[in-house]
Amino acid sequence: AQSVTQLGSHVSVSEGALVLLRCNYSSSVPPYLFWYVQYPNQGLQLLLKYTSAATLVKGINGFEAEFKKSETSFHLTKPSAHMSDAAEYFCAVYSGTASKLTFGTGTRLQVTL
Amino acid sequence: NAGVTQTPKFQVLKTGQSMTLQCAQDMNHNSMYWYRQDPGMGLRLIYYSASEGTTDKGEVPNGYNVSRLNKREFSLRLESAAPSQTSVYFCASSERRGVNTEAFFGQGTRLTVV
């Protein structure tokens, strides 16, 4: 079975500070991994994805994530937070063999002045 | 390219009423999904369809039924709505294509059951 754990339901950072949102996965087969962002009252927008090519993946809005198989992690980072980054972020794992997309419980990012 | 289209966007039902949420995708994806989103619980999978003609239960299937009408369309039916089904519902589709593997979402349906 596959699963995703997001550590920290709420993360608060100052504007300009490093953003680190944690995601650990469990999968019996090599996974595909996604990060999505959801702004208030909107749908989910793809930030970036890992599909077994480069382990360091760059996405939109300056975000990036590194796939670490040894740690079963896919943490999302951004060097300098902006007020517009305030949103909820979801990590998801996709098992191609089961054709099933499973989400974590989400992390709400707050950015303060 | 419309992507994933869900209808309706908003709906209010009385307890016991039935309704069907519609979802269509135009990306030729084999897999389609229905999720519900509740505060603090992330997105929970209700049902999914790995390919046309197949459907499987997810984490929270009770009170719902689905139909994979064809490759494009995947509908979710509430036979007898309950207040516990008040939620935001998202449809998604995905395809395993190696480095081009992708998954996209509709804009959601906000359902209130009174």
Side-chain angles (χ1 to χ4, degrees):
Chain A
Q2 59 189 49
S3 65
V4 171
T5 301
Q6 289 185 243
L7 294 175
S9 58
H10 289 84
V11 170
S12 182
V13 301
S14 300
E15 191 173 35
L18 172 71
V19 175
L20 171 60
L21 305 182
R22 299 177 186 274
C23 172
N24 289 88
Y25 71 90
S26 170
S27 177
S28 57
V29 297
Y32 298 104
L33 295 159
F34 300 81
W35 274 101
Y36 289 89
V37 60
Q38 185 180 36
Y39 298 101
N41 298 314
Q42 294 191 24
L44 281 86
Q45 180 182 5
L46 180 67
L47 269 179
L48 49 80
K49 62 181 179 180
Y50 167 75
T51 57
S52 74
T55 56
L56 181 62
V57 180
K58 293 186 185 300
I60 62 172
N61 301 339
F63 284 94
E64 62 181 39
E66 186 172 8
F67 173 72
K68 293 187 176 180
K69 184 178 178 181
S70 60
E71 298 177 9
T72 61
S73 68
F74 190 56
H75 301 331
L76 182 70
T77 61
K78 182 174 180 178
S80 177
H82 191 273
M83 295 296 288
S84 61
D85 295 326
E88 189 152 23
Y89 293 80
F90 293 94
C91 182
V93 60
Y94 179 49
S95 166
T97 54
S99 295
K100 192 174 172 182
L101 186 61
T102 302
F103 282 82
T105 51
T107 298
R108 185 167 299 278
L109 176 66
Q110 180 182 18
V111 182
T112 59
L113 288 172
Chain B
N1 189 346
V4 179
T5 303
Q6 284 182 241
T7 55
K9 287 186 168 52
F10 300 94
Q11 184 72 48
V12 178
L13 289 179
K14 294 182 178 179
T15 297
Q17 285 185 316
S18 62
M19 78 161 296
T20 300
L21 281 65
Q22 307 286 354
C23 177
Q25 52 93 8
D26 61 2
M27 296 169 285
N28 203 35
H29 288 172
N30 277 300
S31 302
M32 297 186 73
Y33 311 81
W34 277 104
Y35 297 88
R36 60 178 288 172
Q37 184 179 24
D38 303 289
M41 305 189 79
L43 282 92
R44 293 183 292 169
L45 184 62
I46 304 171
Y47 272 93
Y48 68 106
S49 171
S51 60
E52 185 179 355
T54 69
T55 60
D56 287 284
K57 294 179 180 179
E59 300 171 70
V60 289
N62 291 344
Y64 305 95
N65 285 300
V66 290
S67 296
R68 183 74 183 266
L69 304 169
N70 47 55
K71 192 171 186 179
R72 290 187 65 248
E73 298 172 288
F74 188 40
S75 63
L76 178 72
R77 182 160 178 84
L78 287 70
E79 290 290 352
S80 178
S84 61
Q85 294 178 305
T86 293
S87 187
V88 180
Y89 292 85
F90 287 98
C91 177
S93 69
S94 70
E95 188 66 34
R96 183 186 180 194
R97 292 173 177 160
V99 296
N100 294 316
T101 294
E102 56 188 14
F104 292 103
F105 282 79
Q107 286 302 299
T109 297
R110 189 172 294 275
L111 174 67
T112 302
V113 182
V114 298

